[in-house]
Amino acid sequence: MFTFVVEFLSLVLFVGCAWHAARYESRGFAQAWFIGAYVYAFIRETITQVALQTYAYAPEIVRLGVAQAIVALLWGSVFYLAYQFARRFTASPNFAPVAALMFVIAASLALPIEALAAQLHWWLYADPGHALFGGVPISVPLIWGGGAAIFYAVFSKVNSSRLPDRGKLYAMVTLAPAIAAAHLLFALAVGFIG
């Protein structure tokens, strides 16, 4: 029901975050972050929809293959928002404080998205288990947070390398399957715990 809303908001959030990243970080940063995140999300969602089938999207959502085409933009946008907020809370150049804050912030940002999706049937979980907000498993915000921390772990290493901007973009696209695999393993571990 009203799936165009989540697709429109995903697109608007993506455009706003990509513009902000290009303007305040760099164009190369924005390209590596958002293209890398989209490829990662697309791979992750394809595997989730084909092999795991832990949740199903509404039939009206635009797809590219079995993965949603526009909603996948949410992953990079939520991660970028978490990154920007984390940088406001800590000036530490170390990886760990930023990743930890990104974990908490991404989980917090994902919770209202997931709750709204469950209420409007944009996507539904096959087995909500211990549910929050009427159909969102407790583990789902943790999975978003883990995805943000894992993505940032790889991105921070690539971004601090001596590669030129184009090389950083290629590295993020090349590493997207590894990021997706790591995140799926994390999601499976959290799903067994939650």
Side-chain angles (χ1 to χ4, degrees):
M1 161 168 45
F2 303 114
T3 56
F4 65 90
V5 173
V6 71
E7 292 173 320
F8 177 74
L9 292 176
S10 297
L11 194 57
V12 168
L13 185 61
F14 169 77
V15 168
C17 288
W19 174 85
H20 185 275
R23 179 169 173 99
Y24 295 104
E25 298 291 342
S26 72
R27 192 170 76 175
F29 177 100
Q31 289 173 345
W33 184 284
F34 289 101
I35 293 172
Y38 187 78
V39 173
Y40 142 75
F42 185 79
I43 292 168
R44 184 204 181 281
E45 291 299 320
T46 298
I47 294 169
T48 303
Q49 293 301 304
V50 171
L52 302 177
Q53 299 175 353
T54 53
Y55 52 92
Y57 287 95
E60 301 85 22
I61 287 185
V62 176
R63 287 178 169 72
L64 185 59
V66 294
Q68 74 286 4
I70 300 172
V71 178
L73 295 171
L74 268 176
W75 287 94
S77 302
V78 169
F79 294 172
Y80 183 73
L81 288 173
Y83 170 72
Q84 287 300 320
F85 282 121
R87 286 189 39 205
R88 300 296 185 258
F89 288 118
T90 182
S92 174
N94 297 332
F95 158 77
V98 177
L101 282 169
M102 282 184 66
F103 182 96
V104 172
I105 295 166
S108 300
L109 291 172
L111 190 56
I113 294 169
E114 292 287 341
L116 188 60
Q119 295 302 309
L120 295 178
H121 303 286
W122 292 337
W123 53 88
L124 296 172
Y125 291 89
D127 180 23
H130 302 325
L132 302 167
F133 300 111
V136 178
I138 291 173
S139 60
V140 169
L142 300 175
I143 292 169
W144 277 84
I150 292 166
F151 181 81
Y152 177 69
V154 174
F155 183 83
S156 66
K157 294 298 181 193
V158 169
N159 197 42
S160 64
S161 71
R162 294 181 152 188
L163 292 170
D165 286 345
R166 183 176 292 166
K168 292 175 183 178
L169 170 61
Y170 293 155
M172 286 305 296
V173 170
T174 303
L175 291 170
I179 299 169
H183 188 220
L184 286 169
L185 289 173
F186 175 80
L188 289 172
V190 169
F192 287 127
I193 294 168

